[in-house]
Each structure stands twice: as structure tokens, then as C-alpha cells.
Coordinates of all heavy atoms in Angstrom, one line a residue:
R1 N 1.7 27.4 -11.3 CA 1.7 26.2 -10.4 C 0.5 25.4 -10.8 O -0.6 25.9 -10.8 CB 1.7 26.5 -9.0 CG 1.8 25.4 -8.0 CD 1.8 25.9 -6.6 NE 1.7 24.8 -5.6 CZ 2.7 24.3 -4.9 NH1 4.0 24.5 -5.3 NH2 2.5 23.3 -4.2
L2 N 0.8 24.1 -11.0 CA -0.4 23.2 -11.4 C -0.3 21.9 -10.6 O 0.8 21.3 -10.6 CB -0.4 22.9 -12.9 CG -1.4 21.9 -13.5 CD1 -2.7 22.4 -13.3 CD2 -1.1 21.5 -14.8
A3 N -1.3 21.5 -9.8 CA -1.3 20.5 -9.0 C -2.6 19.6 -9.1 O -3.7 20.1 -9.5 CB -1.2 20.9 -7.6
L4 N -2.5 18.3 -9.0 CA -3.6 17.3 -9.2 C -3.8 16.5 -7.9 O -2.8 16.1 -7.4 CB -3.4 16.4 -10.3 CG -4.5 15.3 -10.6 CD1 -5.7 15.8 -11.1 CD2 -3.8 14.2 -11.5
D5 N -5.0 16.5 -7.6 CA -5.4 15.7 -6.3 C -6.5 14.7 -6.7 O -7.6 15.3 -6.9 CB -5.7 16.5 -5.1 CG -6.0 15.8 -3.8 OD1 -5.8 14.5 -3.8 OD2 -6.4 16.4 -2.8
H6 N -6.2 13.3 -6.6 CA -7.3 12.5 -7.0 C -7.6 11.4 -5.9 O -6.6 10.8 -5.4 CB -7.1 11.8 -8.4 CG -8.1 10.7 -8.7 ND1 -9.4 11.2 -9.2 CD2 -8.0 9.4 -8.7 CE1 -10.0 10.1 -9.3 NE2 -9.3 9.0 -9.1
N7 N -8.8 11.2 -5.5 CA -9.0 10.1 -4.5 C -10.1 9.2 -5.2 O -11.1 9.6 -5.7 CB -9.8 10.8 -3.4 CG -10.0 9.8 -2.3 OD1 -9.1 9.5 -1.5 ND2 -11.3 9.3 -2.1
Q8 N -9.6 8.0 -5.2 CA -10.4 6.8 -5.8 C -10.9 5.9 -4.8 O -10.1 5.3 -4.2 CB -9.6 6.3 -7.0 CG -10.3 5.1 -7.7 CD -11.6 5.7 -8.5 OE1 -11.4 6.6 -9.4 NE2 -12.8 5.1 -8.4
V9 N -12.2 5.7 -4.7 CA -12.7 4.6 -3.8 C -12.7 3.3 -4.5 O -13.1 3.1 -5.7 CB -14.2 4.9 -3.4 CG1 -14.8 3.7 -2.6 CG2 -14.3 6.2 -2.7
L10 N -11.9 2.4 -3.8 CA -11.8 1.0 -4.5 C -12.8 0.1 -3.9 O -13.4 -0.8 -4.8 CB -10.4 0.6 -4.2 CG -9.3 1.4 -4.8 CD1 -7.9 0.8 -4.4 CD2 -9.4 1.5 -6.2
I11 N -13.1 0.0 -2.6 CA -14.1 -0.7 -1.9 C -14.8 0.2 -1.0 O -14.1 0.9 0.0 CB -13.5 -1.8 -1.1 CG1 -12.7 -2.8 -2.0 CG2 -14.6 -2.6 -0.3 CD1 -11.9 -3.9 -1.3
K12 N -16.1 0.6 -1.2 CA -16.9 1.5 -0.5 C -16.7 1.4 0.9 O -16.9 0.3 1.5 CB -18.4 1.4 -1.0 CG -19.2 2.4 -0.3 CD -19.3 3.7 -1.1 CE -20.4 4.6 -0.5 NZ -20.0 6.0 -0.7
D13 N -16.4 2.5 1.6 CA -16.1 2.6 3.0 C -15.2 1.8 3.7 O -15.0 1.5 4.8 CB -17.5 2.3 3.7 CG -18.6 3.4 3.5 OD1 -18.2 4.5 3.4 OD2 -19.6 3.0 3.5
R14 N -14.2 1.1 2.9 CA -13.2 0.3 3.3 C -11.7 0.6 2.7 O -10.8 0.6 3.4 CB -13.5 -1.1 3.1 CG -14.7 -1.5 3.7 CD -14.6 -3.2 4.0 NE -15.7 -3.8 4.6 CZ -15.8 -3.8 5.9 NH1 -14.9 -3.5 6.7 NH2 -17.0 -4.3 6.3
L15 N -11.7 0.8 1.4 CA -10.4 1.0 0.7 C -10.5 2.2 -0.3 O -11.5 2.2 -1.1 CB -10.0 -0.2 0.1 CG -8.7 -0.4 -0.5 CD1 -7.6 -0.2 0.5 CD2 -8.4 -1.6 -1.2
A16 N -9.5 3.0 -0.3 CA -9.3 4.0 -1.2 C -7.9 4.3 -1.6 O -7.0 3.8 -0.8 CB -10.1 5.3 -0.8
L17 N -7.6 4.8 -2.7 CA -6.3 5.2 -3.2 C -6.4 6.7 -3.4 O -7.1 7.2 -4.1 CB -6.0 4.5 -4.5 CG -4.6 4.9 -5.2 CD1 -3.5 4.4 -4.3 CD2 -4.5 4.1 -6.5
R18 N -5.4 7.5 -2.9 CA -5.2 8.9 -3.2 C -3.9 9.3 -3.8 O -2.9 8.7 -3.3 CB -5.4 9.7 -1.9 CG -5.5 11.2 -2.1 CD -6.2 11.8 -1.0 NE -6.6 13.2 -1.3 CZ -7.2 14.0 -0.4 NH1 -7.6 13.5 0.7 NH2 -7.5 15.3 -0.8
V19 N -4.0 9.9 -5.0 CA -2.7 10.4 -5.6 C -2.8 12.0 -5.7 O -3.7 12.6 -6.2 CB -2.5 9.7 -7.1 CG1 -1.5 10.2 -7.8 CG2 -2.7 8.3 -6.9
A20 N -1.6 12.5 -5.2 CA -1.5 14.0 -5.5 C -0.1 14.2 -6.0 O 0.8 13.5 -5.8 CB -1.5 14.6 -4.1
S21 N -0.1 15.1 -7.1 CA 1.1 15.3 -7.9 C 1.1 16.9 -8.1 O 0.1 17.5 -8.5 CB 1.1 14.6 -9.1 OG 2.2 14.8 -9.7
L22 N 2.4 17.4 -8.1 CA 2.7 18.7 -8.6 C 3.3 18.6 -10.0 O 4.3 18.0 -10.2 CB 3.8 19.4 -7.6 CG 4.0 20.8 -7.9 CD1 2.8 21.7 -7.9 CD2 5.1 21.3 -6.8
F23 N 2.4 19.1 -11.0 CA 2.9 19.0 -12.4 C 3.7 20.1 -12.9 O 4.7 19.7 -13.6 CB 1.6 18.9 -13.2 CG 0.9 17.5 -13.3 CD1 -0.2 17.4 -12.6 CD2 1.5 16.4 -13.9 CE1 -0.9 16.3 -12.5 CE2 0.9 15.2 -13.7 CZ -0.3 15.1 -13.2
G24 N 3.7 21.2 -12.4 CA 4.5 22.3 -12.9 C 4.6 23.4 -12.0 O 3.5 23.6 -11.3
E25 N 5.7 24.0 -11.8 CA 5.7 25.2 -11.0 C 7.0 26.1 -11.5 O 8.0 25.5 -11.8 CB 6.1 24.8 -9.6 CG 6.3 26.0 -8.7 CD 6.4 25.5 -7.2 OE1 7.2 24.6 -6.9 OE2 5.7 26.2 -6.4

């Protein structure tokens, strides 16, 4: 099983984007 979780701050302390994905299982 391979999974990715990335959290990217777009505007400090106000806005962020989070992407989680299961690549293989």
C-alpha cells in the first residue's frame, strides 16, 4: 500500500490546501 498526504500553506495562518491520495494497494 502506498499513500501520499501533502499539506501546502497558501496564505500563512489563513489558507491551506491538503491533498491525500492512495497510489497503490
Side-chain angles (χ1 to χ4, degrees):
R1 181 178 170 96
L2 176 65
L4 171 74
D5 180 7
H6 177 72
N7 187 79
Q8 181 67 47
V9 174
L10 301 174
I11 301 173
K12 182 82 171 149
D13 295 326
R14 296 207 183 264
L15 182 65
L17 174 68
R18 189 160 188 176
V19 177
S21 180
L22 183 61
F23 283 105
E25 180 175 46

